[in-house]
Amino acid sequence: DSKVLTKLSYRELETEPNMKLALMQDWKNHENYLASLASKYRSACKQKILKPIDDANCTVERLTDISVHATRIHELYLEVHEKASLRLFTLPEDYFAALEDVLGENFICTVIKREEKIIGFIITIKDGDIAFGYHIGYDKKEAENLPLYLRLLHACIHDACSFGCGQLSLGRTALEPKAGLGCKPEPISVWLRHRQ
């Protein structure tokens, strides 16, 4: 239906694809997802992603009230955000707590902690049958020695399964690691119009 915009001098521009993971009905958690993988992929995940996090005495847990940790979550968000080559806006510190308030049960924030300090987070939101890996942030220094980004993506899979969703959308960045999770590219585009 959006093709009607061509009559208003808009042109379609394809962007990088959205990476989507189809979630099987019998996946209720991350363990179910892992069990569905071929043994070499499951073993690689355990050895290269899960084990290093465990060996570093890190824990992966769900935050029940993000407002208590708003400053730290925002700091980690900025560490990732400020490295992006294109930043159209920067979210304020109170955004994440407001998002949790609005979405209620359709909002999960999962964190990685080391010695009780949050070193990474991912926010997953539910919209109908689709879960979205919506925001991510992590300590860049800690990530030099730990697979924080990949572990957070796996946490997002767990959260999407717990929502009972049929699909997980992980967005347009870091295509290769997301393909390694089993995500498939979904073409997306934007509509542009030049005034001159």
Side-chain angles (χ1 to χ4, degrees):
D1 292 343
S2 61
K3 300 267 186 223
V4 72
L5 291 171
T6 57
K7 295 177 181 178
L8 301 171
S9 301
Y10 282 86
R11 297 292 176 261
E12 192 172 10
L13 175 68
E14 190 170 312
T15 68
E16 289 181 311
N18 179 32
M19 299 300 282
K20 271 193 171 175
L21 178 65
L23 304 173
M24 302 297 109
Q25 271 190 323
D26 58 342
W27 294 356
K28 304 301 179 200
N29 53 42
H30 187 248
E31 291 74 27
N32 298 151
Y33 161 77
L34 283 180
S36 74
L37 299 177
S39 61
K40 70 176 183 176
Y41 293 111
R42 182 169 55 250
S43 178
C45 175
K46 288 180 178 179
Q47 292 301 312
K48 295 179 180 177
I49 300 169
L50 305 181
K51 188 176 186 304
I53 296 293
D54 291 341
D55 288 350
N57 294 318
C58 294
T59 60
V60 180
E61 53 194 79
R62 186 181 293 187
L63 282 187
T64 54
D65 183 1
I66 202 169
S67 64
V68 174
H69 305 281
T71 300
R72 181 62 180 156
I73 295 295
H74 195 253
E75 287 171 359
L76 295 171
Y77 154 75
L78 289 176
E79 283 207 43
V80 172
H81 177 71
E82 290 175 353
K83 299 282 190 241
S85 57
L86 177 64
R87 297 185 305 273
L88 300 178
F89 55 86
T90 301
L91 298 171
E93 185 174 312
D94 60 352
Y95 169 80
F96 299 105
L99 187 65
E100 180 181 34
D101 287 343
V102 168
L103 293 175
E105 293 178 357
N106 294 322
F107 175 99
I108 297 175
C109 179
T110 298
V111 298
I112 298 176
K113 287 184 177 179
R114 188 175 197 176
E115 297 174 1
E116 292 306 307
K117 182 180 182 182
I118 297 173
I119 59 173
F121 80 93
I122 191 160
I123 290 172
T124 309
I125 64 172
K126 178 182 179 184
D127 183 12
D129 191 46
I130 302 175
F132 292 87
Y134 203 56
H135 291 290
I136 193 167
Y138 53 90
D139 185 311
K140 293 285 189 175
K141 186 99 173 116
E142 292 279 4
E144 291 173 7
N145 299 308
L146 291 171
L148 294 180
Y149 178 72
L150 292 173
R151 184 60 187 94
L152 290 166
L153 291 181
H154 279 270
C156 191
I157 292 172
H158 173 81
D159 296 340
C161 290
S162 70
F163 275 140
C165 291
Q167 299 177 71
L168 171 60
S169 172
L170 289 173
R172 300 178 300 110
T173 59
L175 305 182
E176 189 175 330
K178 292 171 185 174
L181 297 172
C183 293
K184 303 289 186 212
E186 173 188 69
I188 54 174
S189 57
V190 295
W191 288 92
L192 302 174
R193 184 177 70 169
H194 295 279
R195 292 190 181 276
Q196 296 181 353

